[in-house]
Amino acid sequence: MRLGRTFVAAGLTAALALSAAGCDGGDGSAHAGDPTAPASSPSGGFPGSATPVGLDPAHVTDPPGRRTGAIAPADIVATGAETIPDATVEAIRRLRGVAGVEQISMAQIPVENRALSVAAVDPGTYRNWVVDPYAAQSDDVWDRVAGGELALRPSLRTRAPIGKDGFLALGSTEGASRVHVGAYAKQSWLVDAVVNRTWIDTLDMTPGNALLIRTGGTSPERLRAPIQRLLRGTEASVQMTDVVAREGLDPGAVQTAVVVGTVADAVGTFRYTVLSGGHIAPDPAWVDAHIATETVPILGDVTCNKLIFPQLRAALADVIAQGLADRIHPGEYAGCYYPRFIAGTTTLSNHAFGLALDINAIENQRGTAGEIDRSVVAIFKHWGFTWGGDWAYTDPMHFEMNHLVRPG
């Protein structure tokens, strides 16, 4: 059965669990309440207030109103680093075999070592493109998104670090923007979470850098080359969602990750291809521009992102100055630049960008409090690193750069 066929509209509103309290865990952590419990009413009601809560008025837009049009997911997804020009979008829309185009904004936002794929959308039109027709018909979900809240893919409810107040910080720094999780609903292919378009500037996203494309009765593969020709110059990746559905990502496509937030300067536009066994092959030009092997105190030679070295050296020099060098064990250093996905997923981590390092790995396993000296932790935090031991599902060996620090 083709993924692009139009779903028969169902009259039942989605029975979605809509957040009231959020969760306080990452992978395998405890959840506030039962995350598998149904919504408070069979039609997908709200466990708490029937209106969005705790929101900045700047992110509130009008509800989308009654849903109209066909419900069907994309057959092709195109993602680039720059805004796709209107003329190009229109040319793709006019291609023989193209049944519909939806322009959205896409970015990858590092959240506790997970590059979360966030889309900024028009909730009134985007809802027809999600992979679950029941979610498409739920006015509750899209009213929440229009009201400034975030709709999250259900599989992330126990993985994303949602606070007990129901807010998710989109970034790793203390000042990262926090968005209230208003709904759990399946999204379009390759999208983890959606917000409305008022968040584009707040999250430093690129407007309109992605397209969802339906091909109706035409084979998507027949349209790949014509779409790629029209997108030439934008360096956008073009991938088939029938492959995505089977394998997670299209191995025939160059993937494009547009990382935003305080580490954006260290990553830029990250392009890569998918290999077997969870590994990836970053664009060699990106590797040459961003990755280097240099000598640092205590650890010796390490391979990392070039921009991490000044503050990494400063942190390790500070460890030595405070008489704590013996608290870091070079023989237990577990790496920095590691071009692969998070185990068992197709999600990039900060290791793929060379922005995270694992130290004292043996006695600091995931899910434990860890034995690393807390004075060492404090030094790394001072020099612009986040510590995985502070996460809901702890990773105490892990330190990642959350913002650039330029030692004086």
Side-chain angles (χ1 to χ4, degrees):
M1 182 181 295
R2 287 278 325 287
L3 289 174
R5 71 172 179 79
T6 302
F7 287 102
V8 176
L12 179 65
T13 303
L16 301 169
L18 301 170
S19 70
C23 72
D24 61 354
D27 294 345
S29 65
H31 203 281
D34 179 3
T36 64
S40 58
S41 79
S43 62
F46 296 89
S49 169
T51 57
V53 297
L55 304 179
D56 181 346
H59 294 302
V60 176
T61 63
D62 292 334
R66 181 175 176 272
R67 191 201 65 77
T68 60
I71 299 172
D75 300 294
I76 299 173
V77 178
T79 307
E82 305 295 334
T83 300
I84 299 173
D86 291 344
T88 302
V89 176
E90 187 58 31
I92 292 172
R93 187 174 280 115
R94 291 198 305 265
L95 281 174
R96 185 186 299 275
V98 169
V101 178
E102 179 78 357
Q103 189 168 20
I104 63 175
S105 303
M106 280 281 288
Q108 280 66 44
I109 302 178
V111 178
E112 292 197 358
N113 199 35
R114 176 184 297 274
L116 202 67
S117 294
V118 178
V121 305
D122 176 341
T125 56
Y126 166 83
R127 64 191 292 181
N128 286 339
W129 294 80
V130 300
V131 298
D132 179 359
Y134 295 101
Q137 294 184 78
S138 173
D139 291 337
D140 291 344
V141 171
W142 307 108
D143 286 353
R144 289 269 173 165
V145 173
E149 295 185 289
L150 176 143
L152 187 67
R153 188 157 50 87
S155 62
L156 290 173
R157 70 162 66 214
T158 58
R159 299 177 184 176
I162 304 168
K164 292 182 179 179
D165 60 358
F167 281 79
L168 174 64
L170 294 180
S172 301
T173 62
E174 290 185 3
S177 296
R178 300 174 73 247
V179 187
H180 192 264
V181 180
Y184 295 102
K186 290 183 179 180
Q187 300 302 322
S188 180
W189 299 113
L190 308 177
V191 176
D192 292 323
V194 296
V195 292
N196 69 45
R197 290 173 175 170
T198 67
W199 286 96
I200 291 175
D201 288 343
T202 303
L203 298 176
D204 200 26
M205 301 173 75
T206 299
N209 66 325
L211 300 177
L212 306 176
I213 303 168
R214 292 192 192 116
T215 63
T218 303
S219 167
E221 192 59 47
R222 287 181 55 190
L223 286 164
R224 186 200 287 261
I227 290 171
Q228 286 175 325
R229 282 195 295 271
L230 289 171
L231 289 170
R232 188 173 295 143
T234 68
E235 297 186 348
S237 65
V238 178
Q239 51 194 310
M240 310 294 101
T241 61
D242 57 345
V243 180
V244 171
R246 293 195 309 270
E247 303 179 25
L249 287 174
D250 183 350
V254 175
Q255 307 295 325
T256 301
V258 183
V259 178
V260 299
T262 55
V263 299
D265 289 343
V267 180
T269 301
F270 185 75
R271 293 187 175 87
Y272 63 98
T273 53
V274 180
L275 305 177
S276 61
H279 292 270
I280 63 173
D283 178 3
W286 184 92
V287 176
D288 289 344
H290 292 85
I291 302 298
T293 299
E294 299 185 12
T295 302
V296 299
I298 304 176
L299 297 176
D301 289 348
V302 298
T303 301
C304 294
N305 191 295
K306 292 176 182 179
L307 289 186
I308 203 176
F309 283 112
Q311 62 203 80
L312 176 58
R313 286 196 181 92
L316 292 169
D318 206 348
V319 169
I320 294 171
Q322 296 192 35
L324 300 171
D326 62 344
R327 311 297 171 85
I328 295 179
H329 311 145
E332 296 180 27
Y333 169 67
C336 180
Y337 173 59
Y338 197 21
R340 64 169 295 148
F341 297 120
I342 295 171
T345 75
T346 54
T347 300
L348 296 170
S349 81
N350 268 352
H351 282 289
F353 311 135
L355 296 177
L357 67 157
D358 294 334
I359 60 177
N360 294 12
I362 293 175
E363 66 266 27
N364 290 283
Q365 295 296 304
R366 293 215 69 179
T368 71
E371 299 178 14
I372 195 162
D373 190 287
R374 293 329 191 239
S375 295
V376 170
V377 171
I379 290 170
F380 270 83
K381 288 183 177 180
H382 172 76
W383 289 105
F385 291 86
T386 293
W387 179 47
D390 288 331
W391 297 348
Y393 184 53
T394 58
D395 190 3
M397 73 176 73
H398 182 94
F399 291 86
E400 63 180 51
M401 188 179 83
N402 63 37
H403 65 282
L404 283 170
V405 174
R406 304 189 185 279

